[in-house]
Amino acid sequence: MELMYNELSVDALSANRYAANDKMKLFSETVAEARRRGFRNIRSYHDSHQIQLTADYTLYDWLNNADVSKELRDNMYGMLILPFIRDEDEQVVAGYVSGDYYFEDAANGIAKTSCPGLAAAHLYETLSVSLQSSAAWIKNELEVTVEVNGTSTSKQVNNVFSRGCFDVAAISGIVENLGNVVLDESPLAPDAKDIHLADHHGKKELKALWNRLKNNPYVIAGRSTDFGGKRFIRKTSSDGVVEIVLVDSDKEYALWVQTTGRNLRETKAIAEILKDRYE
């Protein structure tokens, strides 16, 4: 499971390093609780060098500040990763580029502002995590405006900002749901599953792959698809489709596989199973 860093929450900058360290203490404790609940990464639009805590003090500086408790810093090591949206998550990428995402909170002095981190949290259906730099971020629900082709809609993003947030019923329920993916199995026998392979030089290799995949209970059907790709799992979709590439074959032959996945989370979970068993 992954959190999405709300990059807007770094504003306003702390007046000095002492205030920044106090703010980071709360953030680190939040991250520690997130780790305990099963979150392994925080995806971010910026890296630690770019996250300013004061005008001249970054998150990178804080991570390397020997005056800060090692325990607090260790909570953060390895957690922040880029990119905020993975290239292979094509449906999420498409959702992001097809619209504009904004956050606005006039009561707390925040004008209409682009919000990549909150957009990613919405698209991945996960939680955002915020620094306690403003009353705007000390909320478990943040409203994001999505504008597509001149039409605006409001979406709620669930947000954590403290250790205690994970005990809020709404948040704990989301975390529990994120952590438990229940997969349906296909009722079809392996040899009853449809497979359509084009007549090309990769047919033999793809047939060998299918003869293994068809035995998987989460696989329903397969067919040839466009060649190319450097990863075994090239693409996953919310409609249960997983595209698999034989990366060591002559032309990187690929197979389109329909699985029992009913949403992106389930499909990605199935893709990981297929990768572990058949790569």
Side-chain angles (χ1 to χ4, degrees), residues 95-271:
Y96 185 72
V97 300
S98 66
D100 296 304
Y101 296 80
Y102 299 102
F103 180 85
E104 184 176 12
D105 187 339
N108 288 294
I110 301 174
K112 184 178 179 182
T113 307
S114 179
C115 55
L118 296 179
H122 161 63
L123 291 165
Y124 277 111
E125 300 178 359
T126 189
L127 304 174
S128 64
V129 58
S130 301
L131 288 157
Q132 292 190 35
S133 57
S134 162
W137 314 125
I138 309 177
K139 300 176 182 179
N140 290 130
E141 284 192 350
L142 302 176
E143 186 174 294
V144 173
T145 299
V146 185
E147 296 182 357
V148 180
N149 298 326
T151 301
S152 295
T153 57
S154 294
K155 302 294 182 181
Q156 298 298 320
V157 172
N158 296 101
N159 178 60
V160 294
F161 54 84
S162 71
R163 176 184 290 165
C165 289
F166 291 93
D167 292 323
V168 174
I171 297 296
S172 63
I174 291 167
V175 173
E176 184 176 329
N177 184 56
L178 285 174
N180 296 302
V181 178
V182 179
L183 301 176
D184 272 354
E185 295 188 359
S186 170
L188 298 172
D191 289 335
K193 297 176 181 180
D194 286 336
I195 178 64
H196 298 283
L197 299 177
D199 288 322
H200 53 59
H201 291 303
K203 186 173 183 178
K204 179 180 178 181
E205 292 91 336
L206 291 176
K207 179 64 173 177
L209 174 62
W210 174 253
N211 284 338
R212 298 166 65 207
L213 289 173
K214 70 181 182 181
N215 295 302
N216 189 278
Y218 308 119
V219 168
I220 296 173
R223 60 176 169 79
S224 303
T225 189
D226 296 338
F227 299 171
K230 302 302 180 185
R231 298 181 299 269
F232 183 73
I233 302 298
R234 182 173 69 185
K235 180 181 177 182
T236 55
S237 303
S238 61
D239 57 2
V241 171
V242 177
E243 293 183 8
I244 296 175
V245 179
L246 290 171
V247 293
D248 293 330
S249 58
D250 290 342
K251 295 185 179 180
E252 297 166 344
Y253 305 123
L255 193 66
W256 178 100
V257 178
Q258 180 66 57
T259 75
T260 59
R262 293 164 293 189
N263 53 50
L264 187 59
R265 288 187 63 236
E266 290 186 6
T267 308
K268 289 178 71 64
I270 292 170

Side-chain angles (χ1 to χ4, degrees), residues 63-78:
L63 287 168
N64 291 278
N65 186 349
D67 292 332
V68 173
S69 159
K70 184 176 184 299
E71 180 182 359
L72 291 175
R73 289 183 288 139
D74 284 349
N75 291 338
M76 289 292 301
Y77 277 122

